[in-house]
Every structure is written in C-alpha cells, then in structure tokens.
Amino acid sequence: QGEEIRNLFQDQFNPGEILYVGTTNGVYRSINGGTDWIATSHVQSNISISGFAENTNGIFAGTLGTGVWSSADGLDWQGGLNPQLAHPVAFTILEDYRSGEVLYGAVTRDGVVRSRDGGSTWTISTNGLISTNVLTLLQDRQSGKIYAGTADNGVFVSDDQATTWKQVPSEFSGLNVPFLELGMNSNL
C-alpha cells in the first residue's frame, strides 16, 4: 500500500512463471505469473529497488541508497555487495550477455561498478569516464559493447567489459541521458 512500483523483472530461468517487482519498499515475488505476490525478506526496510539482473548465482537488485543486493533464491536478500562506494545508489544492474559471470552496475557519482565473479566482489570502473554520475547501462547484444548514460555528459561506450570508457561523440554530449535504447543497426 502506498508503494511506488519501480520495475518489473521476469526470472530468465522460469519465464512466465516467476516475476519480481521492485518497489519503493523492497521486492515482491510471484510464482504464478503475477496472480499472487509476496513480500520477500530483506535486511533493511524501506529499500527502494531500481533495477534487477540475474545469472546462475542468483538475482541482483540495484537500490537507491544501499548499493547492490543479492539473493540465491529470490526470497532472502543480502546486502553488502558494494565496493567502496561514496554514494551507494545503483540505478541499473546489467548482466553481460557474453559472460553471465560478469555484472555491471550504474552508480550515481561513483561511475560503473563491475563484478567478474558472478557478483561475489565488485570494483569501480571509471577509466575514461568524464562523468561518474551514471544513470543507465545498456549492452549491444551483437558487438558486446557497453553503453553508459550519464546525468551531465552524455553517453560513453566500452568495448572491453567496462575496463575503459570513451565518450560517444554525438548530439548527446553534455546532456542528461537517463535511458538508452538501441535501434536498427545498433544505433543509439
């Protein structure tokens, strides 16, 4: 009641059956395609969920204020998967399509965080990012490139699993880019 739904996520291993909703007060789970919902347990109340990703190790949730959380079963959530973040606001969590062990997070004022071990450990990846106020991430499924939309300097791209970043020269430079989408021929 009174909660704002931030996003809806479908379990990739049980499509059409298991769904998750990220709200301003945590995670809700449905095991029957959305007919019935239960609140999942979490370490801290009032957690605002901003995005989900999943791999064989479990489900990851980006939050507004408490960093990255994880769950092996989608019911019990653990916090503390955060590198030394000055501002633990993770807007987007993204699984690398080419390697399910690699995850990325868009973190306000800290840039991009990356895990190469399925979410067990995270490091900050900002080499080449002019702006560390990252709002969103997107991966091109064909090329594997990762795109980062920032709050103040447009779009950046990485072609080496977020090790280095280059600004995309375009009409986006200097703009707030909270969402990214690829069109035909992998054009932004």
Side-chain angles (χ1 to χ4, degrees):
Q1 291 181 323
E3 296 177 43
E4 179 182 319
I5 294 175
R6 298 265 176 179
N7 52 59
L8 175 68
F9 181 76
Q10 179 173 272
D11 187 306
Q12 67 182 5
F13 300 109
N14 298 286
E17 295 175 28
I18 299 179
L19 301 170
Y20 298 91
V21 170
T23 73
T24 53
N25 196 33
V27 177
Y28 290 81
R29 181 179 188 236
S30 172
I31 59 171
N32 57 11
T35 302
D36 300 302
W37 295 89
I38 61 165
T40 63
S41 68
H42 43 75
V43 178
Q44 179 180 344
S45 61
N46 298 322
I47 296 173
S48 185
I49 306 299
S50 56
F52 291 101
E54 182 178 28
N55 67 17
T56 55
N57 294 331
I59 300 168
F60 300 86
T63 69
L64 301 179
T66 58
V68 180
W69 289 58
S70 72
S71 175
D73 61 7
L75 293 172
D76 295 310
W77 293 84
Q78 305 291 321
L81 295 176
N82 307 303
Q84 303 302 331
L85 299 179
H87 307 281
V89 177
F91 282 112
T92 303
I93 301 294
L94 176 68
E95 175 191 11
D96 191 305
Y97 296 117
R98 295 179 176 208
S99 170
E101 289 294 303
V102 179
L103 298 165
Y104 309 97
V107 182
T108 298
R109 297 189 207 153
D110 285 312
V112 176
V113 292
R114 176 184 60 210
S115 172
R116 291 182 185 232
D117 56 12
S120 295
T121 59
W122 296 81
T123 57
I124 296 173
S125 173
T126 58
N127 187 7
L129 279 176
I130 296 169
S131 171
T132 56
N133 205 2
V134 179
L135 302 176
T136 190
L137 297 170
L138 176 72
Q139 184 174 29
D140 183 332
R141 288 181 182 251
Q142 293 182 352
S143 70
K145 292 179 180 179
I146 308 291
Y147 293 90
T150 69
D152 49 8
N153 268 310
V155 179
F156 291 79
V157 63
S158 174
D159 58 8
D160 57 6
Q161 291 189 317
T163 300
T164 59
W165 296 91
K166 296 176 188 146
Q167 191 167 27
V168 175
S170 70
E171 62 273 7
F172 300 121
S173 297
L175 296 178
N176 178 4
V177 182
F179 304 103
L180 291 170
E181 186 172 329
L182 291 175
M184 299 295 287
N185 301 320
S186 296
N187 293 327
L188 283 176

